């Protein structure tokens, strides 16, 4: 459990200053807590999704170059995308396929990973969720519940770490 904030802090210190590293660690703690809550209770509490969004926006202001507008816009686009997916699934199937917590989490993830990390995060989260379903060996049906928020949070953390790795060469 402690590895997420420790690795997040170390990765942040490689490319960011102290204040940014602390904000990044707060984002990592929010992500870790969201993973735990979703796996245990299929819930993504508002204080944690809101904490992630606020920490990610603060990080976008503090980290060079400050780009809070891009972070906010990406967060809004990600939330709108998942909300549209949720509404479309409801219209087709008559039930919700995603909870509102997933939509709120997407806002924080978009703000954290930025415009170039959002799409890879959604793809990786889908692969993680599919892998989780296969490992659990549960039959997938309309009634099957899958902690997609946990997959989103894990993918966001991995993509954020990946973005901190300096390019080779």
């Amino acid at each position: 459990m402690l590895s997420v904030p420790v690795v997040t802090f170390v990765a942040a210190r490689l490319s960011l200053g102290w204040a940014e590293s602390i904000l990044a660690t707060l984002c990592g703690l929010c992500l870790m807590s969201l993973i735990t809550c979703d796996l245990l209770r299929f819930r993504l509490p508002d204080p944690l999704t809101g904490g992630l969004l606020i920490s990610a926006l603060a990080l976008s202001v503090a980290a060079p170059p400050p780009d809070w507008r891009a972070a906010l816009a990406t967060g809004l686009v990600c939330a709108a995308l998942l909300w549209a997916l949720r509404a479309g699934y409801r219209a087709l199937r008559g039930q919700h396929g995603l909870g509102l917590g997933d939509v709120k989490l997407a806002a924080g993830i978009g703000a954290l990973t930025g415009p170039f990390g959002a799409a890879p995060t959604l793809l990786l989260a889908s692969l993680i969720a599919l892998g989780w379903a296969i490992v659990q060996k549960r039959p997938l049906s309309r009634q099957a519940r899958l902690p997609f928020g946990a997959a989103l949070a894990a993918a966001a953390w991995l993509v954020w770490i990946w973005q901190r790795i300096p390019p080779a060469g």
Side-chain angles (χ1 to χ4, degrees):
M1 289 286 252
L2 289 176
S3 65
V4 171
V6 169
V7 171
T8 303
F9 184 80
V10 170
R13 283 299 298 139
L14 293 175
S15 60
L16 302 173
W18 282 102
E20 299 92 341
S21 298
I22 291 169
L23 288 168
T25 303
L26 287 175
C27 291
L29 287 169
C30 287
L31 291 170
M32 180 184 67
S33 299
L34 286 161
I35 291 168
T36 303
C37 288
D38 203 25
L39 289 175
L40 295 177
R41 293 178 274 173
F42 290 96
R43 296 272 181 240
L44 298 169
D46 288 345
L48 292 175
T49 56
L52 174 63
L53 178 59
I54 291 167
S55 299
L57 288 173
L59 179 59
S60 73
V61 170
D67 200 2
W68 66 270
R69 288 183 181 101
L72 181 60
T74 306
L76 291 173
V77 167
C78 287
L81 177 66
L82 261 64
W83 183 85
L85 184 63
R86 180 180 194 266
Y89 188 90
R90 172 106 173 131
L92 289 173
R93 301 282 188 159
Q95 64 186 25
H96 292 294
L98 288 172
L100 284 175
D102 296 317
V103 174
K104 296 171 195 173
L105 174 57
I109 287 172
L112 178 65
T113 62
F116 299 109
T121 299
L122 291 173
L123 174 63
L124 183 57
S126 299
L127 294 173
I128 290 170
L130 180 61
W132 178 260
I134 291 169
V135 168
Q136 293 294 307
K137 297 182 182 177
R138 290 188 212 158
L140 293 179
S141 67
R142 281 199 217 180
Q143 290 75 31
R145 295 178 76 189
L146 195 64
F148 189 62
L152 277 171
W157 182 74
L158 291 171
V159 167
W160 189 86
I161 294 293
W162 183 261
Q163 290 174 323
R164 307 275 85 61
I165 298 172

